Amino acid sequence: MIPLVKTHIAPPEEMMPAIEKILYSGYIAEGQAVYDFEERFGKYVKNPLTLALNSGTAALHIALLLLNIGPGDEVISTALTAEPTNTTIALTGAKIVWADIDPQTGLLSPESVEEKITENTKAIMLVHYAGMVCDMDKFNAISQKYNIPIIEDTAHALGACYNGKPIGSNSRFTAFSFQAIKHFTTVDGGALSLTNEEDYVAARKLRWFGLDKKVPRLQNDITRAGYKYGMNNVTATIGSVQLAHLKETIDRHIENGKYFDKMLSNIPGVYLLNYYDNTMPSYWLYTMKVEDRDNFIKKMEEVGVTASPLHHRSDTHSVFADSKCDLPNLDAFYQSFVHIPCGWWVTDEERELIVNTIKKGW
Ligand SMILES: *Cc1c(COP(=O)(O)O)cnc(C)c1O
């Protein structure tokens, strides 16, 4: 079966010597290898204020902590995402307020978000779902108008662009995930990109108990308790080797995605999604709406292709029961959307097979 997601690891002749060297270097905790990795990754996303962490979840959590979000506060979010987007909000004690999606894209609707803003709204959580970029023109305007910061959950959208620049410096907080099945992996890991020095310094402390690594341990004074959220030299070394392949893997996702955009248009029963102005997706998955989804998935399975909606909508989890509200656009989208594989592992022959199978009907 052609999978929907797949782990990409650099070849052993590049990876293994680097791992062996760092493992036996005597320094496997956070050190120079981490700082080198974050400098390189920061260059890729064009934001030097980037911190390497042990997960994307940690990045989201630190962003929420920097905004001092807690009980009594509200964070507007989407239910169409992977769970950590919303479990991290729940961890702060804030209330999640669901906004509805735009039926043409599956991404949060700026109009719905604006309607849900109250005096308690402390942040807007945007998810660039499946690699597609939210309507940043409109969200930036909303963020400015109400003075509410945006957190971009970019776990699915590394390499996606807004205004020709990689996602990573548009909003006050951008969270990346390097978990096994994302575009780019360090086995596990993540990063948080920030847009001001003060947040950067505070985030650096929060990732290491509240201590400042730039100040000698005996002179440190913890003013706010932090977490153990940093990356270590071993996963950072893996990340630095992986980075050499980042561009080629993401380029192939995009090439396959553009191929599907072209070849799947005008097929009865298939409804392609729109991309917003000034955005370019990085096609972690290829997402569309189809009629008779169950049969579509069966038909794809018959030719060895995985097709699936993949994510369970967040608002149906018991832990988020207090946030329950009507989301009619999401209800409709959730019945018909499906992902097909479009990553670096999908060959020219395989993508043709996918298109031809869909063209034949299901
Ligand atoms: C993977 C993922 C995360 C969390 O990243 P981890 O590195 O696994 O902690 C957050 N949000 C979304 C949408 C994800 O898919």
Side-chain angles (χ1 to χ4, degrees), residues 131-197:
M132 298 173 284
V133 181
C134 293
D135 190 350
M136 295 316 303
D137 286 347
K138 287 197 183 154
F139 281 117
N140 287 338
I142 291 172
S143 172
Q144 276 189 346
K145 181 171 164 192
Y146 297 92
N147 195 23
I148 298 172
I150 289 172
I151 301 169
E152 291 180 56
D153 180 344
T154 309
H156 294 181
L158 180 59
C161 290
Y162 172 57
N163 280 337
K165 253 184 94 180
I167 300 289
S169 55
N170 173 66
S171 301
R172 188 165 156 196
F173 308 100
T174 309
F176 298 95
S177 166
F178 309 143
Q179 186 263 344
I181 60 166
K182 306 294 161 72
H183 281 102
F184 168 84
T185 184
T186 57
V187 180
D188 240 335
L192 179 64
S193 291
L194 302 137
T195 45
N196 74 68
E197 190 71 30

Side-chain angles (χ1 to χ4, degrees), residues 55-57 60 81-82 84-85 127 153 155-156 177 179 182 189:
S55 72
T57 301
L60 292 170
T81 182
T85 308
V127 178
D153 180 344
H156 294 181
S177 166
Q179 186 263 344
K182 306 294 161 72

Side-chain angles (χ1 to χ4, degrees), residues 52-219:
L53 302 169
N54 62 10
S55 72
T57 301
L60 292 170
H61 194 202
I62 289 181
L64 293 159
L65 292 169
L66 288 177
L67 292 171
N68 295 311
I69 286 172
D73 296 333
E74 296 175 359
V75 177
I76 299 177
S77 184
T78 179
L80 186 65
T81 182
E83 286 78 358
T85 308
N86 295 314
T87 51
T88 46
I89 301 172
L91 283 178
T92 67
K95 183 181 176 195
I96 299 170
V97 175
W98 305 119
D100 208 350
I101 57 151
D102 174 346
Q104 308 298 324
T105 65
L107 305 177
L108 268 187
S109 148
E111 290 72 27
S112 176
V113 168
E114 192 165 6
E115 276 170 23
K116 303 275 176 144
I117 291 174
T118 71
E119 58 189 16
N120 297 323
T121 308
K122 292 289 152 51
I124 299 168
M125 179 73 86
L126 295 182
V127 178
H128 303 307
Y129 187 69
M132 298 173 284
V133 181
C134 293
D135 190 350
M136 295 316 303
D137 286 347
K138 287 197 183 154
F139 281 117
N140 287 338
I142 291 172
S143 172
Q144 276 189 346
K145 181 171 164 192
Y146 297 92
N147 195 23
I148 298 172
I150 289 172
I151 301 169
E152 291 180 56
D153 180 344
T154 309
H156 294 181
L158 180 59
C161 290
Y162 172 57
N163 280 337
K165 253 184 94 180
I167 300 289
S169 55
N170 173 66
S171 301
R172 188 165 156 196
F173 308 100
T174 309
F176 298 95
S177 166
F178 309 143
Q179 186 263 344
I181 60 166
K182 306 294 161 72
H183 281 102
F184 168 84
T185 184
T186 57
V187 180
D188 240 335
L192 179 64
S193 291
L194 302 137
T195 45
N196 74 68
E197 190 71 30
E198 210 178 306
D199 282 342
Y200 177 78
V201 171
R204 211 181 56 212
K205 291 187 192 171
L206 283 175
R207 82 171 168 187
W208 201 52
F209 314 125
L211 288 162
D212 189 342
K213 265 205 190 269
K214 301 246 156 123
V215 174
R217 189 87 174 235
L218 294 177
Q219 290 164 29

